[in-house]
Amino acid sequence: QVQLMESGGGSVQAGGSLNLSCVASANSRPSVWYMGWFRQAPGKDREGVAIIFTGPDHPGTWYGDSVKGRFTISRDTAKNAVYLQMNALQREDTAMYFCVGGRPSLGEYAVPSEYKYWAQGIQVTVSS
């Protein structure tokens, strides 16, 4: 069973930065070729934030429109880890952030059901 362990998050004022980390268990391959984050704010649907390919080739990335230019996802394949650097945070970024892993169909990176593995979630709160 693949396990995802995330860390980071917390509270920050608007305009500030936070970093999230997620490590997949050693047995994650080949079940997990893409990793990243979704988020869910109270009363809203889950939203794709950023996804990165964790295979041996070029680390292709995908970002949700609301975070482009502010968030950066990166990877460390030796550690089975991915990182999300969040800059210029806004109140609208307040949500529970979930690390995900799986093998989504081409172009379906923003679809929650495409990811088999989910971490328990970590809170990010941005205040004005």
Side-chain angles (χ1 to χ4, degrees):
Q1 179 71 12
V2 173
Q3 291 184 326
L4 303 176
M5 296 293 292
E6 55 192 347
S7 60
S11 299
V12 67
Q13 288 191 329
S17 299
L18 286 173
N19 187 277
L20 301 181
S21 300
C22 181
V23 180
S25 54
N27 64 341
S28 60
R29 303 298 176 84
S31 300
V32 175
W33 278 118
Y34 291 81
M35 290 178 64
W37 276 271
F38 278 69
R39 67 186 181 185
Q40 188 168 23
K44 295 188 176 181
D45 293 333
R46 288 188 177 183
E47 174 191 17
V49 175
I51 300 295
I52 190 166
F53 177 63
T54 61
D57 298 326
H58 178 71
T61 57
W62 173 90
Y63 293 94
D65 289 341
S66 62
V67 307
K68 285 180 181 177
R70 300 188 297 121
F71 291 11
T72 302
I73 191 169
S74 60
R75 69 179 191 179
D76 184 333
T77 54
K79 296 181 180 179
N80 283 342
V82 295
Y83 309 98
L84 185 68
Q85 178 64 41
M86 304 183 290
N87 297 328
L89 283 161
Q90 306 165 356
R91 290 188 62 185
E92 295 74 22
D93 296 315
T94 295
M96 186 72 77
Y97 284 68
F98 298 89
C99 178
V100 300
R103 304 185 68 164
S105 300
L106 184 64
E108 299 296 305
Y109 308 115
V111 180
S113 59
E114 292 286 321
Y115 298 89
K116 183 175 181 179
Y117 303 103
W118 290 71
Q120 63 182 15
I122 196 165
Q123 181 67 36
V124 170
T125 302
V126 184
S127 58
S128 59

